[in-house]
Amino acid sequence: MSLNPLTQLISERGFDRFQSGLRSRFAAYHLKYTLTYCKPSDNPAMCLDFESLLHLGRVTVWESGACEMDILEISTGNNVFYESHHFNNEKQFHQTYLRLVIFMRDMLRLKSDNI
């Protein structure tokens, strides 16, 4: 048994089972979405990349439970969102990474409301 809390999610590709639902949800938010499993290492990782008309977002999470989430504003290249976390289980990951998605979604809504 691995000491890494997110082994099933990443190395065993447990996150794959959520893909069809996530793709349709993120498309409804006008976000392009890509899942990438990084090359095997001592601490395997996966990246969730998001793109909107305004922002590029990335969630990188490692089997150890470490996670970094950041968003760049396309027009300026400025980082407008950054969070670092350490998860002890998958539930914590699933509850937290959506903050990045919600930020990107809400910024699009604000932009469209101001047009």
Side-chain angles (χ1 to χ4, degrees), residues 68-111:
E68 293 187 0
M69 305 188 309
D70 61 305
I71 299 173
L72 298 177
E73 187 173 49
I74 294 171
S75 65
T76 65
N78 292 335
N79 189 305
V80 296
F81 178 100
Y82 177 81
E83 291 184 3
S84 178
H85 298 274
H86 191 276
F87 304 120
N88 296 313
N89 56 58
E90 285 186 36
K91 182 179 179 181
Q92 290 175 335
F93 167 73
H94 288 290
Q95 290 174 334
T96 304
Y97 88 90
L98 291 175
R99 290 163 46 156
L100 178 137
V101 173
I102 291 166
F103 179 94
M104 292 179 71
R105 179 202 66 193
D106 290 352
M107 293 306 290
L108 283 171
R109 285 183 180 166
L110 284 174
K111 176 76 171 176

Side-chain angles (χ1 to χ4, degrees), residues 35-89:
L35 165 64
T36 306
Y37 291 98
C38 303
K39 292 181 180 182
S41 69
D42 291 341
N43 190 13
M46 70 178 184
C47 294
L48 310 175
D49 291 309
F50 300 90
E51 182 178 351
S52 74
L53 295 173
L54 303 174
H55 299 98
L56 298 173
R58 173 171 273 187
V59 175
T60 305
V61 62
W62 289 267
E63 281 190 11
S64 65
C67 179
E68 293 187 0
M69 305 188 309
D70 61 305
I71 299 173
L72 298 177
E73 187 173 49
I74 294 171
S75 65
T76 65
N78 292 335
N79 189 305
V80 296
F81 178 100
Y82 177 81
E83 291 184 3
S84 178
H85 298 274
H86 191 276
F87 304 120
N88 296 313
N89 56 58

